[in-house]
Each structure stands twice: as structure tokens, then as C-alpha cells.
Amino acid sequence: MKITGVDTFFVDVPLQAPVSPYQSRYICSTSTGALLIRIETDAGITGWGETPQRLSFQNAVSFTGAEADYFRPILLGKDPTDIAALYADWGMGEEPYRQSLVEMACWDILGKQAGLPLHRLLGGLYRDRVEVTCCMGIRGPEEAAAISKHYVDLGFSTLKTKAGRSPEEDLAMVRAIRDATGDRLNLRIDPNMGYTPEVALQLARDLEPYDLQYFEQPMHKDLLQESAEIRQQTTTPLALNESVTTMKNVRKILELDAAQYLLPDTYQCGGIWAVKLVGEVAASASVPCIFHCAHDLGLRTATMLHMAGSSPNFPLANDCTYYSLENDIITEPFEIKAGTITVPTKPGLGVDINEGMLKRYLVKSSVD
């Protein structure tokens, strides 16, 4: 089988309340942007991939109209089922966003060729429904309380909220959520590397009475020794996301005992197989993983479901903002019931593109 065609599409789908507006410490989002790729083969099989919008990537690729022009010289004539070669020989190892986009489409093609859903190729089904979080941007105490109660009513068990502008704001938000929902929600907060080690340590100690499930990436991604030291000085569990990139970094995190949980993602690690490897290596150190979310559409959500569905070491609720989308670009959008989603069972990623929705939310295409 050979790749005969490559097209790319930039789409942007509005978010709905209460997720929108989604305020992190550095940006406020009201939509989910993604770069999609469509790979065609001489066997008549088409694969799709998705990677999240990132400003530098978007400016360098999407808005210049050069997306497919970048990929075609690398991909045309290649066998998309040679996924190991994608990692080793196709020249995208330094571009995890781009590599993850292509790799997802290759797995989609391989699954369709084999007539098997992705989770079968990743080891088989371990759980047929995957638990997901509800997510919230930074909010004032009253809003945070109201939104958290709303999520409890919808049947979610886990809430993740953005943080990182100030420790006082974070504590007020956490206190309001706990006052409103008690222990009915597992609670996570994510400062997105917003604090120095000194501030992160004090905040972790101040958060101890509120029984967080974990405190995610409070400091810069390179401060692994500092993360290990904080773990020794507080009972608040520490999780790392931005630090989880290469296997070298993962090994260092585990050697230092710098995190109680890891949050790998395809666009940071370089693909589905890379996330699978992180999960397996972390399991050898008894460190559970959570699949990270970057405001995902249906393709990346499907990937998360296959990964978590096939991997015992993804036991907790995985990050998700899917329920906040106005719509999706797949034909049968996922349904969330009591905070869980069923793992797809059709071949490949198990989802099909809705061409009408693709056109509706299209911002820029290399073939427009």
C-alpha cells in the first residue's frame, strides 16, 4: 500500500457554556481549533488525523497555505502501515505536532485495512467505557460553585479547573468548589507552569485540606528536580503534563519520583504509539497515566478512547472538553453518559468525517 494523496484542513468549532469562555492563566478560548489531515492510498483506504491548534504551528503552517505542501514530499509513495518507519526515518521526529497528525491517520488506515478498531491493534479491550473529566476555566468563587454543582448533576465524578494567575485566586476557587460539592467530585487544578518552586510548594501545602486528586504542572516543565523535592514536602499529589514529552524526559521523571501521575498526549509525545509507550513505562514504576486533552474534536477524542480503553494504566478519568463543542466534524458525535463514553468499535479510529460539518467549520484548507 502506498500514499497517493495528502490534504489538510484547519477547522474551528465554537465552545458552549459553561466551558466557554475557557480562561487559563494566559489565554481565553471560545472555540476549539484543530488541524486535520486526510491521507489517501492506492488501496482506496483513507485515513484521518487531528492535532490541536498551536499558535506558532498555526502561523507557520495553517495560515500560509503550506500544510499539505510540507507533508506531500515526505509522505507520497510511503507505506502508511510502516508506522515504525514514521518514527525512525520519515524526518518528523523533531515535529511532534506534525508527526502525531500523520501517525493518527496511519493508524486509522492500518485499522481499516485489518478490519479492526484501533484498540485491538493496541492490545485489545480492557474497558469498554472510558471515564472522562469535566473541565472549567478560571472562574470566580460563585461561578465555580455553580458550575461544579451543574457537573455533579450531569453525573461527572471528576473536575479539572485551570489555575495559575495567583495562589489566592486558586485557593478561593477550590474552596468554593469544595463548599458546593463536598467530596462528590475528585478535584484537579492546573496552573500551566504558572508558579516558581517556592510559590508552588506553599500553594501545595495550602491545598492539603481540600484533598485534591492532583496538582498539575505548577512549575516550568524543566524543573523536575524541584518537582521531586515538592513531592517530599507536601501531601498534595503532583502530576506532570508539559514535562511529559520524550522518553528521556519520562525516564528522568520516574527516576526522580517527580510525579504521582503523568498526563501524556499525542501532540506532545509524537503520536499514539509514543503515548502507549509512556503508559507502559510509567506502569513499570506504578505511576498511573491520564490522557491529556487540548480541546479535542472527534478524531482525537476517539484516539483517547482507544488508548484508555486498551491500557490498564489509564485508570482515572481522562481529560475531556468534548461535551462543550457546539458540534463536531464526525458523522456520529460521541455521547457522554454519567461521565463516561463508549469506546468505538468500527475499524480504525471508528469514526467517519461529516463532510458538511467539515465545510461548515473550515477556516483554511490547502485545497480550497
Side-chain angles (χ1 to χ4, degrees):
M1 187 190 304
K2 302 297 182 185
I3 295 173
T4 57
V6 178
D7 295 301
T8 52
F9 311 86
F10 185 73
V11 296
D12 199 46
V13 180
L15 297 175
Q16 303 180 101
V19 172
S20 182
Y22 194 76
Q23 177 69 60
S24 70
R25 71 178 182 86
Y26 49 79
I27 193 171
C28 184
S29 303
T30 57
S31 64
T32 287
L35 181 65
L36 311 180
I37 194 167
R38 180 178 64 201
I39 295 179
E40 297 174 316
T41 69
D42 58 4
I45 300 173
T46 298
W48 286 85
E50 173 190 338
T51 201
Q53 170 192 339
R54 282 296 177 268
L55 188 57
S56 59
F57 184 57
Q58 171 187 328
N59 288 343
V61 182
S62 296
F63 286 168
T64 65
E67 313 99 317
D69 290 340
Y70 171 84
F71 288 115
R72 286 183 184 124
I74 299 172
L75 301 180
L76 291 178
K78 296 291 198 307
D79 186 335
T81 66
D82 289 337
I83 293 173
L86 166 63
Y87 279 85
D89 301 327
W90 290 12
M92 286 190 286
E94 298 302 315
E95 295 278 359
Y97 294 106
R98 288 169 169 166
Q99 179 168 298
S100 70
L101 179 68
V102 172
E103 193 239 31
M104 188 184 297
C106 289
W107 280 110
D108 194 27
I109 290 168
L110 179 58
K112 289 172 180 175
Q113 180 193 47
L116 295 171
L118 176 57
H119 62 262
R120 291 292 171 198
L121 305 178
L122 296 176
L125 197 63
Y126 180 77
R127 53 179 72 86
D128 61 3
R129 294 191 69 85
V130 171
E131 188 174 4
V132 296
T133 62
C134 51
C135 291
M136 183 178 75
I138 298 171
R139 301 284 184 141
E142 290 185 7
E143 280 188 301
I147 291 171
S148 63
K149 286 192 289 187
H150 168 73
Y151 284 138
V152 168
D153 292 340
L154 290 177
F156 287 95
S157 70
T158 305
L159 170 63
K160 173 177 171 176
T161 180
K162 289 298 180 182
R165 296 195 301 196
S166 81
E168 294 78 17
E169 181 178 55
D170 296 349
L171 283 168
M173 188 166 49
V174 167
R175 188 179 302 114
I177 293 168
R178 276 287 178 250
D179 288 345
T181 63
D183 60 1
R184 289 177 292 172
L185 283 174
N186 295 310
L187 184 55
R188 310 165 175 174
I189 73 167
D190 179 12
N192 286 116
M193 304 189 291
Y195 295 125
T196 64
E198 295 77 17
V199 173
L201 173 58
Q202 185 58 56
L203 180 54
R205 288 171 169 167
D206 292 340
L207 288 166
E208 288 177 353
Y210 301 102
D211 192 26
L212 293 193
Q213 189 170 63
Y214 57 72
F215 185 30
E216 181 181 331
Q217 199 76 52
M219 304 174 297
H220 190 272
K221 63 182 180 180
D222 294 337
L223 300 180
L224 300 182
Q225 181 62 50
E226 290 81 355
S227 293
E229 292 168 0
I230 286 179
R231 284 207 65 204
Q232 297 170 4
Q233 299 177 66
T234 178
T235 59
T236 298
L238 196 67
L240 294 178
N241 163 233
E242 284 92 341
S243 301
V244 183
T245 51
T246 65
M247 290 305 300
K248 180 179 180 180
N249 265 26
V250 171
R251 290 198 307 271
K252 186 173 182 181
I253 292 167
L254 298 177
E255 289 167 0
L256 292 172
D257 196 21
Q260 191 164 332
Y261 302 100
L262 300 185
L263 284 88
D265 201 331
T266 55
Y267 76 93
Q268 293 171 315
C269 297
I272 294 164
W273 189 246
V275 171
K276 180 73 173 180
L277 292 178
V278 170
E280 295 303 312
V281 171
S284 72
S286 300
V287 175
C289 290
I290 297 93
F291 202 109
H292 177 259
C293 167
H295 294 289
D296 304 332
L297 303 180
L299 296 170
R300 271 179 43 88
T301 299
T303 296
M304 177 272 290
L305 295 171
H306 286 292
M307 177 64 68
S310 64
S311 301
N313 199 38
F314 286 75
L316 304 180
N318 295 276
D319 282 0
C320 182
T321 58
Y322 187 79
Y323 48 85
S324 70
L325 295 174
E326 174 186 278
N327 216 311
D328 196 9
I329 45 82
I330 60 175
T331 56
E332 298 178 22
F334 293 110
E335 184 178 1
I336 300 177
K337 292 184 178 180
T340 66
I341 308 177
T342 301
V343 179
T345 57
K346 294 193 297 185
L349 295 180
V351 296
D352 298 308
I353 295 296
N354 183 325
E355 295 290 343
M357 289 297 173
L358 180 63
K359 292 178 181 177
R360 176 177 175 178
Y361 294 114
L362 188 64
V363 175
K364 182 74 175 180
S365 169
S366 62
V367 293
D368 57 7

